[in-house]
Amino acid sequence: MSSALTDLFPHPIVQAPMAGGVSVPQLAAAVSEAGGLGFLAAGYKTADGMYQEIKQLRSLTGRPFGVNLFMPQPEHAETGAVEVYAHQLAGEAAWYETELGDPDSGRDDGYDAKLAVLLDNPVPVVSFHFGVPSGDALDSLRRAGTFTLVTATTADEALAVQRAGADAVIVQGVEAGGHQGTHKDIPENDGSGIGLLSLIAQVRECVSLPIVAAGGLMRGSQIAAALAAGASAAQLGTAFLATPESGAHAVHKQALTNALFVRTELTRAFSGRPARGLVNRFLREHGPYAPAAYPEVHHLTSPLRKAAAKAGDAQGMALWAGQGHRLARELPAGRLVEVLADEIEAARTALAEVPGGLGGSGGEGGDA
């Protein structure tokens, strides 16, 4: 495998790009400065908003970082279902004293404009979610000196990533918090996601690209397991969500370890696409009826989520979190990278000392 990715950062730790205001420049800078790879999330921002955050991040660190883009979404024919869901949410709008959002607020997330900015002002790494960019786009970024990653949730999707010409694949297990990065949103596949370790093995069987493992990882020992399974690095989101540098709402951070929130579920309630979050009232009441309509449902519920956050009401917020959320640690982001790196080394050392274990090769599992 090429070492082009892992040569960018000393520790095999990538901070997941969490859209919605979580992955702020201060968080990405702290992670990169500590030897991981910090990420900005361009999702739900304008192209200029993304550019301003990139400029701010560059003023905070000279180390490599990444920017994540959402792929444009195809049209669908469920306008009637969206209207029905809007009617169901009328009570929520009345409760929070706000209007529902316009479901037709845009499907492409300003993709072309953002890509143009990243070609004019190249960054070290760009990743893609919700699909595979064109080979031309990937080639253009490569010529600009940018390393590219694309999320995959199945071996077939990983093959599509390789065929398109990406430099590496982010293998996202079903344990991951937030949106599943499936290339096509097929409701019949709901609930059929693959666990991370099984998925790494399947992808390694058919793809030669470096793998970044994502999904439920909260401790260095888990990262070491993913590296031993064949990943080059690990991407963590929920683990960094609780840090002081994270832009997540205080209520969201507290909910990760709050005894009121004991489990997570994949739901379409907030966005119309499967996303893993803490089970709260909104998810329970509306999840079973939410249509497969992204980003229409995202736009529709946006004012509700903002009003709930303003009121400090965790029961109405989208509390995205992975399955390991109870292991969240309120450490500064840079310190968390250091702790995770120490835990990885301790796990590798312990494995190397086990009779019949990996022996001397145990320390090489994370090299790309």
Side-chain angles (χ1 to χ4, degrees), residues 5 14 17 27 31 34 59 78 133 193 244 299:
L5 174 64
V14 179
L27 174 59
V31 172
S59 73
E78 289 201 55
H299 296 314

Side-chain angles (χ1 to χ4, degrees), residues 187-248:
E188 290 76 15
N189 292 343
D190 285 4
S192 63
I194 305 169
L196 179 59
L197 289 179
S198 295
L199 186 55
I200 292 173
Q202 292 178 27
V203 172
R204 281 298 305 270
E205 289 286 328
C206 62
V207 168
S208 60
L209 294 177
I211 291 171
V212 176
L217 302 175
M218 302 291 288
R219 295 286 187 266
S221 57
Q222 294 173 294
I223 296 173
L227 300 178
S232 298
Q235 179 172 279
L236 291 76
T238 306
F240 287 104
L241 193 151
T243 64
E245 294 90 345
S246 156

